[in-house]
Amino acid sequence: MYRTHNCGELRIENIGETVTLSGWVQKSRNKGFMVFTDLRDRYGVTQLLFTEEKTEEELLKLAGTLGREYVIKVTGTVTERSAKNSKMSTGDIEIEVTELVVLNESKTPPFKIEDETDGGDELRMKYRYLDIRRNPVQQNLIFRSNLAIETRKYLANQNFIEVETPVLIKSTPEGARDFVVPSRMNPGQFYALPQSPQTFKQILMVAGMDRYFQIVKCFRDEDLRADRQPEFTQIDCEMAFVTQEEILNTFEGLTKHLFKQTLGVELPDFPRMSYDEAMRRYGSDKPDVRFGMEFVELNDVAKGGDFPVFNSAELVVGINAEGQADAFSNKDIKKLTEWLQRPQVGAKGLVYVKCNADGTFKSSVGKFYDDATLQTWADKFGAKAGDMMLVLSGETDKVRKQLNELRLEMGRRMDLMKPDDFKPLWVVDFPLLEWDEDSNRFHAMHHPFTAPKKEDEEKMLNGDHETMKSLRADAYDMVINGSEIGGGSIRIHDRALQARNFKLLGFTDEEAEDQFGFLMGAFEYGAPPHGGLAFGFDRLCAVLKGQTSIRDFIAFPKNNQGRDMMIDAPSHIDDTQLKELNLDVTVEPTES
Ligand code: ASP
């Protein structure tokens, strides 16, 4: 037998028992006449004491032999520690070892297997098996497992059926780039890996499955921005005969259940905010509402004066940083302005107005506006002595995005974004289509299967080009603390409307038929009204745990170049394989 107990289990009640434990050597301390060793497994750490009937020589040898990460089995007696450790669950006891078996040796690990490690990201990914031995990573994976189990429980209770959809599907140009897989049996043809099971779950609704879910891998071949993974997991769901309201309630219910079961947190009902309102108040469709600092528009009080920049701007808009007037020196403001002017944000400049204690103002535009005018600004912001108003101007959409960045930055600096303060909301009423100047065509704001609002259907079928920009969709996102956790929509279930949408998106009839004929065909056989959503499961884990990176919630993540550092993939394949796949194009191998 390898163990009678695990390494996190023994307590003062077990004193006197003879036990056997197996695990990894965390560290050993040689005290000359005795050796203390911390033995670790998934469940915890137990202190071992080697002393009994051993000569000093034997002990010294032992301490030298038991290197870090050796796998050992020990048998011994549970005894009370003289120096207890209240930080450890097993801190009251230790094991006086009578028998030791070395089950396997270990090379010295390339980084510390401790909560705080000295290993860099790439090294940790290469030796992921060692990284996963570390408690924080292990706890994240356990948390993820619990979240998946609770999701299944909740949805099963609500009559959802888990259905697996295929991984080898068909490539479509809409959305992100596909990963493709050559078909050996069909020379010259390719499968694609699903970006989401979207069309399959809709087909399942046509098939009468009524309520579907799947915890499923999705694949998107995008340039990897920070914290994106080429393969990621969704909780993918679809329901038939539902209104948007019922969908929101169902998945608000799921989210509350998950918070309750995994964190013990009771979430209040989620507020709902229209897309337009979110953009106006926060400049973002995923506002972080843990803190206020809402946008205040100043066109009526800032334009028409002597400041040409504001006069020529489409929108003058700002935020009030409460109590920050003294915290920002001229130098700090200069730095903040430079931060805003980086290409990533792209603001032209920053105007500040500090509210002095005596009712006067100190401002970068003080020579254009007198104190009485600045007071009207302060009134709009509700700003008081000690506050600092920060104002941007420019084209409406751009300036809102820039001010969103500034608001979030100020939120961080002012420590207003507490990781364990959860503020969920639904953002609803997204536009159906988005006009793209560069490609000179419409894009689907959510995806091409999203239905317009019932009252916009007629406009969509018969309206002119400009009208299309005003169409609204029954599309919604769940946002928690500034992260988009999930999103979905009511779907089109009518062939003519779906065909019209493809046309608006620039598909020819042939292209639409070729790529989505199966779906439109299915709509002709009694497709029920339906809708759904998908949660980003990796991100959900990270947000619940108050962490910013999804990587450590994925057992084997890829690096920023999309490489798996441990197995070293992607890799070249040999000529025979290439030939078999009819891939006769020879690509010069690149250094990897
Ligand atoms: N398939 C969509 C996505 O992956 C979610 C949905 O509309 O259900 O974002």
Side-chain angles (χ1 to χ4, degrees), residues 27-32 34-38 47-48 63 81:
K27 57 174 181 266
S28 283
R29 294 172 302 280
N30 177 12
K31 297 277 175 184
M34 48 188 173
V35 175
F36 291 103
T37 295
D38 285 345
Q47 179 166 291
L48 311 178
R81 276 207 221 180

Side-chain angles (χ1 to χ4, degrees), residues 150-151 153-161 210-213 235-258 269-270 272 426 476 478 490 531-533 535:
E150 288 301 332
T151 300
K153 271 200 222 159
Y154 183 86
L155 291 176
N157 240 319
Q158 302 273 328
N159 270 333
F160 281 78
I161 299 165
D210 198 75
R211 289 181 165 209
Y212 142 94
F213 87 102
I235 308 174
D236 192 47
C237 309
E238 197 76 5
M239 302 166 84
F241 305 114
V242 278
T243 57
Q244 165 170 311
E245 198 51 33
E246 288 164 292
I247 295 179
L248 300 191
N249 289 334
T250 303
F251 294 101
E252 190 168 319
L254 168 65
T255 310
K256 285 178 179 171
H257 173 86
L258 295 177
D269 289 345
F270 298 11
R272 288 161 200 194
W426 289 104
Y476 33 81
M478 185 189 287
I490 296 292
L533 91 181
F535 286 89

Side-chain angles (χ1 to χ4, degrees), residues 196 198 201 220 234 236 238 446-447 487-489 491 532-534:
S196 91
Q198 185 61 33
K201 65 175 172 174
R220 295 181 191 172
Q234 288 193 338
D236 192 47
E238 197 76 5
H446 185 48
H447 54 51
S489 57
R491 327 297 186 186
L533 91 181

